[in-house]
Amino acid sequence: MIKAVDDKRYGKRNSAILAILLIMAAVLVLLSGCSVRERQAEGQRGEEQQADEASEAAEGMPIARDRIALTFFTGQSPNNIGPYEDKLVWKKMAERSNMDIDFRLIPFEVLANQRALALAGEELPDAFYSAKIVVRRALYVRQEGRAYPA
């Protein structure tokens, strides 16, 4: 049988090591508690900020104080007959945003040619809506300094 050695030297060393480990564990617990509180505080601040942004977005209409006139280059499906200005969604948008949007409606059959002419021209429309623009071409126009991202 093996008997345990009862030496006072080892007992003191083990006690010192145990005390150091306990102190380190206590410090880690305290530090993790602080970081949890900081994360909770940041989370609360983030939620408050999101609520503020949502209320600003809800109250953010009209977008412009003065009436603005914009031109949209717009592809039009054969199934979508009539001017976009007469559609309820665009009427409400114009009413709430304080913007008058002039839609240049281009049938999808000739959209590619008309789009190429518009992009090659000196004066671009204010926006392209449903115009099937290829990203590579849009980046090229942007690099030329003739267009700005929304």
Side-chain angles (χ1 to χ4, degrees):
M1 252 195 195
I2 302 174
K3 292 186 179 182
V5 177
D6 189 20
D7 191 354
K8 293 182 181 183
R9 274 186 320 192
Y10 293 117
K12 288 181 183 178
R13 187 186 307 165
N14 287 341
S15 297
I17 292 173
L18 182 60
I20 291 172
L21 288 175
L22 286 174
I23 290 171
M24 288 174 55
V27 168
L28 287 174
V29 168
L30 288 174
L31 290 177
S32 67
C34 292
S35 67
V36 167
R37 285 188 201 120
E38 288 174 1
R39 276 187 257 139
Q40 288 174 343
E42 288 174 5
Q44 289 173 348
R45 278 185 252 132
E47 291 171 2
E48 290 170 3
Q49 184 178 8
Q50 287 176 350
D52 290 342
E53 289 173 359
S55 68
E56 287 175 8
E59 299 169 3
M61 293 298 223
I63 295 171
R65 293 183 184 160
D66 297 327
R67 203 98 180 128
I68 297 175
L70 299 174
T71 304
F72 278 24
F73 183 96
T74 308
Q76 185 179 28
S77 167
N79 299 331
N80 196 357
I81 300 171
Y84 277 27
E85 292 89 349
D86 293 344
K87 308 289 182 200
L88 180 62
V89 67
W90 292 108
K91 282 182 182 180
K92 291 289 184 186
M93 180 63 144
E95 186 180 295
R96 293 192 67 211
S97 66
N98 214 13
M99 294 187 298
D100 292 323
I101 301 173
D102 176 33
F103 291 95
R104 288 188 6 210
L105 299 175
I106 312 296
F108 280 146
E109 294 83 28
V110 295
L111 182 65
N113 290 337
Q114 293 294 320
R115 185 183 57 236
L117 289 171
L119 289 172
E122 291 295 319
E123 193 171 320
L124 292 172
D126 295 311
F128 287 90
Y129 174 72
S130 181
K132 298 182 179 180
I133 292 184
V134 179
V135 174
R136 183 177 34 195
R137 179 69 175 144
L139 289 174
Y140 175 74
V141 171
R142 169 66 182 109
Q143 287 172 349
E144 290 180 333
R146 297 187 314 124
Y148 301 99

